[in-house]
Amino acid sequence: MSVPLRIAIIGSGPAALYTLEHLLAAPGLDLEVDIFERLPTPFGLVRAGVAPDHQKIKAVTRAFEPLLADPRVRFFAGVEYGRHLTLDDLRQAYHLVCFATGAQSDRRLDIPGEDLPGSLPATAFVAWYNGHPDFAGLQPDLSCESAIVIGVGNVAIDVARILCLTPDELRRTDMPDYAIEALSTSRIREVHVLGRRGPVQAAFTTPELKELTTLEDTALVIRPEEAELDPLSRAELERSPDRTLARKVELIQHIAASPPPPRGRRLYLRFFIAPDRLIAGEDGRVGAVHCQRTRLVETPGGGLAAQPTGEEELIPAGLVFRSVGYRGRPLPGLPFDERLGTVPNRGGRVIDPATGDPIPGLYVAGWIKRGPTGVIGTNKPDAAETVRAMLEDAAASRTLATPRVDRAELERLVRFRQPNVLTFADWQTIDRLEREAGAACGRPRVKLTSFEAVLRALGRSPAPA
Ligand code: NAP
């Protein structure tokens, strides 16, 4: 009797679920797939990262749900790799293991004052307003009048926009109650978003910029002199194969040339300005950010870097968000590239850095494979590449040893180590309860934001894990 190909996927965000989708679609395969998720709920950054006022993007979960309901698939939530399951456990139970754990930490600025109270990673704030159980207690102090967001990627734009939403706009989102309440009573009147390079190099995309012009009570302000292109930027724009870039620059220049509408809040989108230290106020919390104006210079590698001009600027702010990128965390038992914050791999096959050879049976997908870049859909071709490698290796018997622990035994082990384990049926109940609670107050859903709250809603009392 042939043994089904047994596969474990660690994580249940888009990279994990596109990996699952490609595996299930592979013709003629006898498969059994187990998904292990650390949090009590599935979907990774779709639930805990995508902005709560972007419900259309969050709707991608509808395409993921049938995958988790497939009879070949088991979903174990609340199970943490490295805590409830080790690499050794996985080696005994599966032919192939794919890690899709994302980038769970943030990049640092490495400037003085970065860790002052009131200076937060944007990633933590995003997780807080999305009800991520690890960040529900963040309590950002929104009692100041001015906030700064460092970086001009889409996360920076999300954070700036969320800080500017009116109570009405907030109530249309699936933000948890605590975030709606805190943001509705926020005293922040101005938000400064700081880009160290120019409009051509800005990492945000055009629809996200356009959205900032349609906020109910916020005027977007760009300085005309900062929207102008220097010769290096003009040359980069002309060379660029990205056809949307010219439209983005045009929009930036159009906003800069238009008088700001009379609205209660101001969102200043700045270019050519780089923070070099955070300065404490009298209360010991962050009080201002000291910046240097910059100009672009060519790097030996052919890129364009920001170089300080010597002109200084001090921007007062009681809250600072460092939004300079996510960063992957090492996974116990796997090699890790400290510089890139990723697991070394070739096309998804985990590589032993000492030999440069693939480690049989171990794979990566998503941000832990390629770094924190791209949108949700980018994970689809990324996962396809990993699945191709997995299936090629399975066909050539380059897998882990034949499993010695069967499906039922593995489940017993998981339940012994984590008695509070949750299943896909549990998620379906939670999903229904959250949506019903939302419908009662005209919101998409009201999220449960702790493991205990999820268990209580399911009528269970937490067992020590
Ligand atoms: P990102 O796109 O890589 O942007 C990082 C920003 O930080 C860049 O503007 C970068 O400027 C700046 N930065 C880096 N180091 C800096 C430093 N030391 N000082 C000042 N600025 C610095 O990262 P992200 O915004 O975290 O987004 C991650 C990914 O998720 C992106 O692919 C993004 O598009 C995606 N995402 C998409 C959406 C959406 O589709 N709506 C929403 C959120 C996130 P330089 O270019 O000068 O390095």
Side-chain angles (χ1 to χ4, degrees), residues 51-53 120 125-131 138-144 147 158-171 173-189 191 217-218 265 319 321:
D53 57 341
L120 304 172
F125 184 61
V126 167
W128 172 79
Y129 64 58
N130 264 310
L138 188 73
Q139 295 190 318
D141 182 357
L142 304 169
S143 65
C144 57
D158 278 350
V159 165
R161 188 181 69 255
I162 294 292
L163 286 170
C164 291
L165 297 184
T166 60
D168 266 359
E169 288 168 314
L170 288 164
R171 275 193 292 271
T173 72
D174 71 351
M175 254 184 229
D177 290 337
Y178 64 72
I180 293 184
E181 210 175 296
L183 287 161
S184 295
T185 53
S186 152
R187 294 183 54 204
I188 292 172
R189 284 291 160 269
V191 178
D217 193 32
T218 300
R265 282 191 173 115
L319 198 53
F321 297 101

CSV table of all heavy atoms in Angstrom, one decimal, residues 51-53 120 125-131 138-144 147 158-171 173-189 191 217-218 265 319 321:
chain,number,residue,atom,x,y,z
A,51,ALA,N,-4.7,46.9,6.2
A,51,ALA,CA,-5.4,48.0,7.0
A,51,ALA,C,-6.9,47.6,7.1
A,51,ALA,O,-7.6,47.2,6.2
A,51,ALA,CB,-5.3,49.3,6.3
A,52,PRO,N,-7.5,47.9,8.3
A,52,PRO,CA,-8.9,47.6,8.6
A,52,PRO,C,-9.9,48.4,7.8
A,52,PRO,O,-11.1,48.0,7.8
A,52,PRO,CB,-9.0,47.9,10.1
A,52,PRO,CG,-7.8,48.7,10.5
A,52,PRO,CD,-6.8,48.5,9.5
A,53,ASP,N,-9.4,49.5,7.1
A,53,ASP,CA,-10.3,50.2,6.2
A,53,ASP,C,-10.1,49.7,4.8
A,53,ASP,O,-10.7,50.3,3.9
A,53,ASP,CB,-10.1,51.7,6.3
A,53,ASP,CG,-8.7,52.1,6.0
A,53,ASP,OD1,-7.8,51.3,6.1
A,53,ASP,OD2,-8.5,53.3,5.7
A,120,LEU,N,7.7,54.0,18.4
A,120,LEU,CA,7.2,52.7,18.3
A,120,LEU,C,7.4,52.2,16.9
A,120,LEU,O,7.4,52.9,15.9
A,120,LEU,CB,5.6,52.6,18.4
A,120,LEU,CG,5.0,53.1,19.7
A,120,LEU,CD1,3.5,53.2,19.6
A,120,LEU,CD2,5.4,52.2,20.9
A,125,PHE,N,2.2,49.0,15.8
A,125,PHE,CA,0.9,49.9,15.8
A,125,PHE,C,-0.1,49.2,14.8
A,125,PHE,O,-1.3,49.1,15.1
A,125,PHE,CB,1.3,51.3,15.3
A,125,PHE,CG,0.2,52.3,15.3
A,125,PHE,CD1,-0.5,52.6,16.5
A,125,PHE,CD2,-0.2,52.9,14.2
A,125,PHE,CE1,-1.6,53.5,16.5
A,125,PHE,CE2,-1.3,53.8,14.2
A,125,PHE,CZ,-1.9,54.1,15.3
A,126,VAL,N,0.4,48.7,13.7
A,126,VAL,CA,-0.5,48.1,12.7
A,126,VAL,C,-1.1,46.9,13.4
A,126,VAL,O,-2.3,46.6,13.2
A,126,VAL,CB,0.4,47.6,11.5
A,126,VAL,CG1,-0.4,46.7,10.6
A,126,VAL,CG2,0.8,48.9,10.7
A,127,ALA,N,-0.3,46.1,14.1
A,127,ALA,CA,-0.8,44.9,14.7
A,127,ALA,C,-1.8,45.3,15.8
A,127,ALA,O,-2.9,44.6,16.0
A,127,ALA,CB,0.3,44.1,15.3
A,128,TRP,N,-1.6,46.4,16.5
A,128,TRP,CA,-2.5,46.9,17.6
A,128,TRP,C,-3.9,47.2,17.0
A,128,TRP,O,-4.9,46.8,17.5
A,128,TRP,CB,-1.9,48.1,18.3
A,128,TRP,CG,-2.8,48.8,19.2
A,128,TRP,CD1,-3.1,48.4,20.5
A,128,TRP,CD2,-3.5,50.0,19.0
A,128,TRP,NE1,-4.0,49.3,21.1
A,128,TRP,CE2,-4.2,50.3,20.2
A,128,TRP,CE3,-3.6,50.9,17.9
A,128,TRP,CZ2,-5.0,51.4,20.3
A,128,TRP,CZ3,-4.4,52.0,18.0
A,128,TRP,CH2,-5.1,52.2,19.2
A,129,TYR,N,-3.9,48.0,15.9
A,129,TYR,CA,-5.2,48.5,15.4
A,129,TYR,C,-5.9,47.4,14.6
A,129,TYR,O,-7.0,47.5,14.2
A,129,TYR,CB,-5.1,49.8,14.6
A,129,TYR,CG,-4.3,49.9,13.4
A,129,TYR,CD1,-4.6,49.1,12.3
A,129,TYR,CD2,-3.3,50.9,13.3
A,129,TYR,CE1,-3.8,49.3,11.1
A,129,TYR,CE2,-2.6,51.1,12.1
A,129,TYR,CZ,-2.9,50.3,11.0
A,129,TYR,OH,-2.2,50.4,9.8
A,130,ASN,N,-5.2,46.2,14.4
A,130,ASN,CA,-5.8,45.1,13.8
A,130,ASN,C,-6.2,44.0,14.8
A,130,ASN,O,-6.6,42.9,14.4
A,130,ASN,CB,-4.8,44.5,12.7
A,130,ASN,CG,-5.1,45.0,11.3
A,130,ASN,OD1,-6.3,45.0,10.9
A,130,ASN,ND2,-4.1,45.4,10.6
A,131,GLY,N,-6.0,44.3,16.1
A,131,GLY,CA,-6.4,43.3,17.1
A,131,GLY,C,-5.5,42.1,17.2
A,131,GLY,O,-6.0,41.0,17.6
A,138,LEU,N,-0.9,47.4,23.6
A,138,LEU,CA,0.2,48.4,23.3
A,138,LEU,C,-0.1,49.8,23.9
A,138,LEU,O,0.8,50.5,24.3
A,138,LEU,CB,0.3,48.5,21.7
A,138,LEU,CG,1.5,49.4,21.2
A,138,LEU,CD1,2.8,48.6,21.4
A,138,LEU,CD2,1.3,49.7,19.7
A,139,GLN,N,-1.4,50.2,23.9
A,139,GLN,CA,-1.8,51.5,24.4
A,139,GLN,C,-0.9,52.7,23.9
A,139,GLN,O,-0.3,53.4,24.7
A,139,GLN,CB,-1.7,51.5,25.9
A,139,GLN,CG,-2.7,50.5,26.5
A,139,GLN,CD,-2.9,50.7,28.0
A,139,GLN,OE1,-1.9,50.8,28.7
A,139,GLN,NE2,-4.1,50.6,28.5
A,140,PRO,N,-0.9,52.9,22.6
A,140,PRO,CA,-0.2,54.1,22.1
A,140,PRO,C,-0.8,55.4,22.7
A,140,PRO,O,-2.0,55.5,22.8
A,140,PRO,CB,-0.3,54.0,20.6
A,140,PRO,CG,-1.6,53.2,20.4
A,140,PRO,CD,-1.7,52.3,21.5
A,141,ASP,N,0.1,56.3,23.1
A,141,ASP,CA,-0.4,57.6,23.7
A,141,ASP,C,-0.8,58.5,22.6
A,141,ASP,O,0.1,59.1,22.0
A,141,ASP,CB,0.7,58.1,24.6
A,141,ASP,CG,0.2,59.4,25.3
A,141,ASP,OD1,-0.9,59.8,25.0
A,141,ASP,OD2,1.0,59.9,26.1
A,142,LEU,N,-2.1,58.7,22.4
A,142,LEU,CA,-2.5,59.6,21.3
A,142,LEU,C,-2.9,61.0,21.8
A,142,LEU,O,-3.7,61.7,21.1
A,142,LEU,CB,-3.7,58.9,20.5
A,142,LEU,CG,-3.4,57.5,20.0
A,142,LEU,CD1,-4.7,56.8,19.5
A,142,LEU,CD2,-2.4,57.5,18.8
A,143,SER,N,-2.3,61.4,22.9
A,143,SER,CA,-2.7,62.6,23.5
A,143,SER,C,-1.9,63.8,23.0
A,143,SER,O,-2.1,64.9,23.4
A,143,SER,CB,-2.6,62.5,25.0
A,143,SER,OG,-1.3,62.4,25.4
A,144,CYS,N,-0.9,63.5,22.1
A,144,CYS,CA,-0.1,64.6,21.6
A,144,CYS,C,-0.7,65.2,20.4
A,144,CYS,O,-1.7,64.6,19.8
A,144,CYS,CB,1.3,64.1,21.3
A,144,CYS,SG,1.3,62.8,20.2
A,147,ALA,N,2.4,63.8,15.2
A,147,ALA,CA,3.0,62.4,15.1
A,147,ALA,C,3.9,62.4,13.9
A,147,ALA,O,3.6,63.1,12.9
A,147,ALA,CB,1.9,61.4,15.1
A,158,ASP,N,-0.4,53.6,5.4
A,158,ASP,CA,-1.5,53.0,6.2
A,158,ASP,C,-1.5,53.7,7.5
A,158,ASP,O,-2.6,54.1,8.0
A,158,ASP,CB,-1.2,51.5,6.4
A,158,ASP,CG,-1.7,50.7,5.2
A,158,ASP,OD1,-2.3,51.2,4.3
A,158,ASP,OD2,-1.4,49.5,5.2
A,159,VAL,N,-0.4,53.7,8.2
A,159,VAL,CA,-0.3,54.3,9.6
A,159,VAL,C,-0.8,55.7,9.6
A,159,VAL,O,-1.6,56.1,10.4
A,159,VAL,CB,1.1,54.1,10.2
A,159,VAL,CG1,1.3,55.0,11.4
A,159,VAL,CG2,1.4,52.6,10.5
A,160,ALA,N,-0.3,56.5,8.6
A,160,ALA,CA,-0.6,57.9,8.6
A,160,ALA,C,-2.1,58.1,8.4
A,160,ALA,O,-2.8,58.9,9.0
A,160,ALA,CB,0.2,58.6,7.5
A,161,ARG,N,-2.7,57.3,7.5
A,161,ARG,CA,-4.1,57.4,7.1
A,161,ARG,C,-4.9,57.0,8.3
A,161,ARG,O,-5.9,57.7,8.7
A,161,ARG,CB,-4.4,56.5,5.9
A,161,ARG,CG,-5.8,56.6,5.4
A,161,ARG,CD,-6.1,55.7,4.2
A,161,ARG,NE,-6.2,54.3,4.6
A,161,ARG,CZ,-5.3,53.4,4.4
A,161,ARG,NH1,-4.1,53.7,3.8
A,161,ARG,NH2,-5.4,52.1,4.8
A,162,ILE,N,-4.6,55.9,9.0
A,162,ILE,CA,-5.4,55.5,10.2
A,162,ILE,C,-5.4,56.5,11.3
A,162,ILE,O,-6.4,56.8,11.9
A,162,ILE,CB,-4.8,54.1,10.7
A,162,ILE,CG1,-5.0,53.0,9.7
A,162,ILE,CG2,-5.4,53.7,12.1
A,162,ILE,CD1,-6.4,52.6,9.4
A,163,LEU,N,-4.2,57.2,11.4
A,163,LEU,CA,-4.1,58.3,12.5
A,163,LEU,C,-5.1,59.4,12.1
A,163,LEU,O,-5.4,60.2,13.0
A,163,LEU,CB,-2.7,58.8,12.6
A,163,LEU,CG,-1.7,57.9,13.2
A,163,LEU,CD1,-0.3,58.4,13.1
A,163,LEU,CD2,-2.0,57.7,14.7
A,164,CYS,N,-5.5,59.5,10.8
A,164,CYS,CA,-6.2,60.7,10.4
A,164,CYS,C,-7.7,60.4,10.2
A,164,CYS,O,-8.5,61.2,9.8
A,164,CYS,CB,-5.7,61.2,9.1
A,164,CYS,SG,-4.1,62.0,9.2
A,165,LEU,N,-8.2,59.1,10.5
A,165,LEU,CA,-9.6,58.8,10.2
A,165,LEU,C,-10.5,59.5,11.3
A,165,LEU,O,-10.1,59.6,12.4
A,165,LEU,CB,-9.8,57.3,10.3
A,165,LEU,CG,-9.1,56.5,9.2
A,165,LEU,CD1,-9.4,55.0,9.3
A,165,LEU,CD2,-9.4,57.0,7.8
A,166,THR,N,-11.7,59.9,10.8
A,166,THR,CA,-12.7,60.4,11.7
A,166,THR,C,-13.4,59.3,12.4
A,166,THR,O,-13.4,58.1,12.0
A,166,THR,CB,-13.7,61.2,10.9
A,166,THR,OG1,-14.3,60.3,10.0
A,166,THR,CG2,-13.1,62.4,10.2
A,167,PRO,N,-14.1,59.6,13.5
A,167,PRO,CA,-14.9,58.5,14.2
A,167,PRO,C,-15.8,57.8,13.2
A,167,PRO,O,-15.9,56.5,13.3
A,167,PRO,CB,-15.7,59.2,15.3
A,167,PRO,CG,-14.8,60.4,15.6
A,167,PRO,CD,-14.1,60.8,14.3
A,168,ASP,N,-16.4,58.5,12.3
A,168,ASP,CA,-17.3,57.9,11.3
A,168,ASP,C,-16.5,56.9,10.4
A,168,ASP,O,-17.0,55.8,10.2
A,168,ASP,CB,-18.0,58.9,10.4
A,168,ASP,CG,-19.3,59.3,10.9
A,168,ASP,OD1,-19.7,58.7,12.0
A,168,ASP,OD2,-19.9,60.2,10.3
A,169,GLU,N,-15.4,57.3,9.9
A,169,GLU,CA,-14.5,56.5,9.1
A,169,GLU,C,-14.1,55.2,9.9
A,169,GLU,O,-14.0,54.1,9.4
A,169,GLU,CB,-13.3,57.2,8.5
A,169,GLU,CG,-13.7,58.3,7.5
A,169,GLU,CD,-12.6,59.2,7.1
A,169,GLU,OE1,-11.9,59.7,8.0
A,169,GLU,OE2,-12.3,59.4,5.9
A,170,LEU,N,-13.7,55.5,11.1
A,170,LEU,CA,-13.2,54.4,12.0
A,170,LEU,C,-14.3,53.3,12.2
A,170,LEU,O,-14.0,52.1,12.2
A,170,LEU,CB,-12.8,54.9,13.3
A,170,LEU,CG,-11.5,55.7,13.3
A,170,LEU,CD1,-11.3,56.5,14.6
A,170,LEU,CD2,-10.3,54.8,13.2
A,171,ARG,N,-15.6,53.8,12.4
A,171,ARG,CA,-16.7,52.8,12.7
A,171,ARG,C,-17.0,52.0,11.5
A,171,ARG,O,-17.7,51.0,11.6
A,171,ARG,CB,-17.9,53.6,13.2
A,171,ARG,CG,-17.8,53.9,14.7
A,171,ARG,CD,-19.2,54.3,15.2
A,171,ARG,NE,-19.5,55.7,14.7
A,171,ARG,CZ,-19.1,56.8,15.3
A,171,ARG,NH1,-18.5,56.8,16.4
A,171,ARG,NH2,-19.4,58.0,14.8
A,173,THR,N,-14.8,50.3,9.9
A,173,THR,CA,-13.7,49.3,9.7
A,173,THR,C,-14.0,48.1,10.7
A,173,THR,O,-14.9,48.1,11.5
A,173,THR,CB,-12.4,49.9,10.2
A,173,THR,OG1,-12.4,50.1,11.6
A,173,THR,CG2,-12.1,51.3,9.5
A,174,ASP,N,-13.1,47.1,10.6
A,174,ASP,CA,-13.2,46.0,11.5
A,174,ASP,C,-12.1,46.1,12.6
A,174,ASP,O,-11.7,45.1,13.2
A,174,ASP,CB,-13.1,44.6,10.8
A,174,ASP,CG,-11.7,44.3,10.3
A,174,ASP,OD1,-10.8,45.2,10.3
A,174,ASP,OD2,-11.4,43.2,9.9
A,175,MET,N,-11.7,47.4,12.9
A,175,MET,CA,-10.8,47.6,14.1
A,175,MET,C,-11.4,47.1,15.4
A,175,MET,O,-12.7,47.3,15.5
A,175,MET,CB,-10.5,49.1,14.2
A,175,MET,CG,-9.2,49.5,13.7
A,175,MET,SD,-9.1,51.2,14.1
A,175,MET,CE,-8.5,51.8,12.5
A,176,PRO,N,-10.6,46.6,16.3
A,176,PRO,CA,-11.2,46.3,17.6
A,176,PRO,C,-11.8,47.5,18.3
A,176,PRO,O,-11.3,48.6,18.1
A,176,PRO,CB,-10.1,45.6,18.4
A,176,PRO,CG,-8.8,46.0,17.6
A,176,PRO,CD,-9.2,46.3,16.2
A,177,ASP,N,-12.7,47.3,19.2
A,177,ASP,CA,-13.3,48.4,19.9
A,177,ASP,C,-12.3,49.3,20.6
A,177,ASP,O,-12.4,50.5,20.5
A,177,ASP,CB,-14.3,47.8,21.0
A,177,ASP,CG,-15.5,47.2,20.4
A,177,ASP,OD1,-15.8,47.5,19.3
A,177,ASP,OD2,-16.1,46.3,21.1
A,178,TYR,N,-11.3,48.7,21.2
A,178,TYR,CA,-10.3,49.5,21.9
A,178,TYR,C,-9.6,50.5,21.0
A,178,TYR,O,-9.3,51.7,21.4
A,178,TYR,CB,-9.3,48.7,22.7
A,178,TYR,CG,-8.4,47.8,21.9
A,178,TYR,CD1,-7.3,48.4,21.2
A,178,TYR,CD2,-8.5,46.4,21.9
A,178,TYR,CE1,-6.5,47.6,20.4
A,178,TYR,CE2,-7.7,45.6,21.1
A,178,TYR,CZ,-6.6,46.2,20.4
A,178,TYR,OH,-5.8,45.4,19.6
A,179,ALA,N,-9.3,50.1,19.8
A,179,ALA,CA,-8.6,51.0,18.8
A,179,ALA,C,-9.5,52.0,18.3
A,179,ALA,O,-9.1,53.2,18.2
A,179,ALA,CB,-8.0,50.1,17.7
A,180,ILE,N,-10.8,51.7,18.0
A,180,ILE,CA,-11.8,52.7,17.6
A,180,ILE,C,-11.9,53.8,18.6
A,180,ILE,O,-11.9,55.0,18.3
A,180,ILE,CB,-13.1,52.1,17.2
A,180,ILE,CG1,-12.9,51.1,16.0
A,180,ILE,CG2,-14.2,53.1,17.0
A,180,ILE,CD1,-14.2,50.5,15.5
A,181,GLU,N,-12.0,53.3,19.9
A,181,GLU,CA,-12.2,54.3,21.0
A,181,GLU,C,-11.0,55.2,21.1
A,181,GLU,O,-11.1,56.4,21.2
A,181,GLU,CB,-12.4,53.5,22.3
A,181,GLU,CG,-13.3,54.2,23.3
A,181,GLU,CD,-13.5,53.3,24.4
A,181,GLU,OE1,-14.1,52.2,24.2
A,181,GLU,OE2,-13.0,53.6,25.5
A,182,ALA,N,-9.8,54.6,21.1
A,182,ALA,CA,-8.6,55.4,21.3
A,182,ALA,C,-8.4,56.4,20.1
A,182,ALA,O,-8.0,57.5,20.3
A,182,ALA,CB,-7.4,54.5,21.4
A,183,LEU,N,-8.6,55.9,18.9
A,183,LEU,CA,-8.3,56.8,17.7
A,183,LEU,C,-9.4,57.8,17.6
A,183,LEU,O,-9.2,58.9,17.1
A,183,LEU,CB,-8.2,55.9,16.5
A,183,LEU,CG,-6.9,55.1,16.4
A,183,LEU,CD1,-7.1,54.0,15.4
A,183,LEU,CD2,-5.7,56.0,16.0
A,184,SER,N,-10.6,57.5,18.1
A,184,SER,CA,-11.7,58.5,18.0
A,184,SER,C,-11.5,59.7,18.9
A,184,SER,O,-11.9,60.8,18.7
A,184,SER,CB,-13.1,57.9,18.4
A,184,SER,OG,-13.4,56.9,17.5
A,185,THR,N,-10.7,59.5,20.0
A,185,THR,CA,-10.5,60.5,20.9
A,185,THR,C,-9.1,61.1,20.8
A,185,THR,O,-8.6,61.8,21.7
A,185,THR,CB,-10.8,60.1,22.4
A,185,THR,OG1,-10.0,58.9,22.6
A,185,THR,CG2,-12.2,59.8,22.6
A,186,SER,N,-8.3,60.6,19.8
A,186,SER,CA,-7.0,61.1,19.6
A,186,SER,C,-6.9,62.6,19.4
A,186,SER,O,-7.8,63.2,18.8
A,186,SER,CB,-6.4,60.4,18.3
A,186,SER,OG,-5.4,61.2,17.7
A,187,ARG,N,-5.8,63.2,20.0
A,187,ARG,CA,-5.7,64.7,19.9
A,187,ARG,C,-4.7,65.0,18.7
A,187,ARG,O,-4.4,66.2,18.6
A,187,ARG,CB,-5.2,65.2,21.2
A,187,ARG,CG,-6.3,65.1,22.3
A,187,ARG,CD,-5.9,65.7,23.6
A,187,ARG,NE,-5.5,67.1,23.4
A,187,ARG,CZ,-4.7,67.7,24.3
A,187,ARG,NH1,-4.2,67.1,25.3
A,187,ARG,NH2,-4.4,69.0,24.1
A,188,ILE,N,-4.3,64.0,18.0
A,188,ILE,CA,-3.3,64.3,16.9
A,188,ILE,C,-3.9,65.1,15.8
A,188,ILE,O,-5.0,64.8,15.3
A,188,ILE,CB,-2.8,62.9,16.4
A,188,ILE,CG1,-1.9,62.3,17.4
A,188,ILE,CG2,-1.9,63.2,15.1
A,188,ILE,CD1,-1.5,60.9,17.1
A,189,ARG,N,-3.3,66.2,15.5
A,189,ARG,CA,-3.8,67.2,14.5
A,189,ARG,C,-2.9,67.2,13.3
A,189,ARG,O,-3.3,67.6,12.2
A,189,ARG,CB,-3.9,68.6,15.1
A,189,ARG,CG,-5.2,68.7,16.0
A,189,ARG,CD,-6.4,68.6,15.2
A,189,ARG,NE,-7.6,68.3,15.9
A,189,ARG,CZ,-8.1,67.1,16.1
A,189,ARG,NH1,-7.4,66.0,15.7
A,189,ARG,NH2,-9.1,66.8,16.8
A,191,VAL,N,0.2,65.0,11.1
A,191,VAL,CA,1.1,63.8,10.9
A,191,VAL,C,2.1,64.1,9.8
A,191,VAL,O,1.7,64.6,8.7
A,191,VAL,CB,0.2,62.6,10.5
A,191,VAL,CG1,1.0,61.3,10.2
A,191,VAL,CG2,-0.9,62.3,11.5
A,217,ASP,N,-11.6,64.4,6.9
A,217,ASP,CA,-11.2,65.6,7.6
A,217,ASP,C,-9.7,65.9,7.6
A,217,ASP,O,-9.2,66.5,8.6
A,217,ASP,CB,-11.8,65.6,9.0
A,217,ASP,CG,-11.7,66.9,9.7
A,217,ASP,OD1,-11.9,67.9,9.0
A,217,ASP,OD2,-11.5,67.0,10.9
A,218,THR,N,-9.0,65.5,6.6
A,218,THR,CA,-7.6,65.7,6.6
A,218,THR,C,-7.1,66.2,5.2
A,218,THR,O,-7.5,65.7,4.2
A,218,THR,CB,-6.8,64.3,6.8
A,218,THR,OG1,-7.3,63.8,8.1
A,218,THR,CG2,-5.3,64.5,6.8
A,265,ARG,N,-7.4,68.2,10.1
A,265,ARG,CA,-6.1,67.6,10.3
A,265,ARG,C,-5.2,67.9,9.1
A,265,ARG,O,-5.7,68.0,8.0
A,265,ARG,CB,-6.2,66.1,10.5
A,265,ARG,CG,-6.6,65.7,11.9
A,265,ARG,CD,-6.4,64.2,12.1
A,265,ARG,NE,-6.7,63.8,13.5
A,265,ARG,CZ,-7.7,63.0,13.8
A,265,ARG,NH1,-8.5,62.5,12.9
A,265,ARG,NH2,-7.8,62.7,15.1
A,319,LEU,N,4.8,61.4,19.3
A,319,LEU,CA,4.6,60.0,18.9
A,319,LEU,C,5.4,59.8,17.6
A,319,LEU,O,5.2,60.6,16.7
A,319,LEU,CB,3.1,59.7,18.7
A,319,LEU,CG,2.6,58.3,18.7
A,319,LEU,CD1,3.1,57.5,19.9
A,319,LEU,CD2,1.1,58.3,18.6
A,321,PHE,N,6.6,56.8,14.7
A,321,PHE,CA,6.4,55.4,14.2
A,321,PHE,C,7.6,55.2,13.2
A,321,PHE,O,7.7,55.9,12.2
A,321,PHE,CB,5.1,55.2,13.5
A,321,PHE,CG,3.9,55.4,14.4
A,321,PHE,CD1,3.2,56.6,14.4
A,321,PHE,CD2,3.6,54.4,15.3
A,321,PHE,CE1,2.1,56.8,15.2
A,321,PHE,CE2,2.5,54.6,16.1
A,321,PHE,CZ,1.8,55.8,16.1
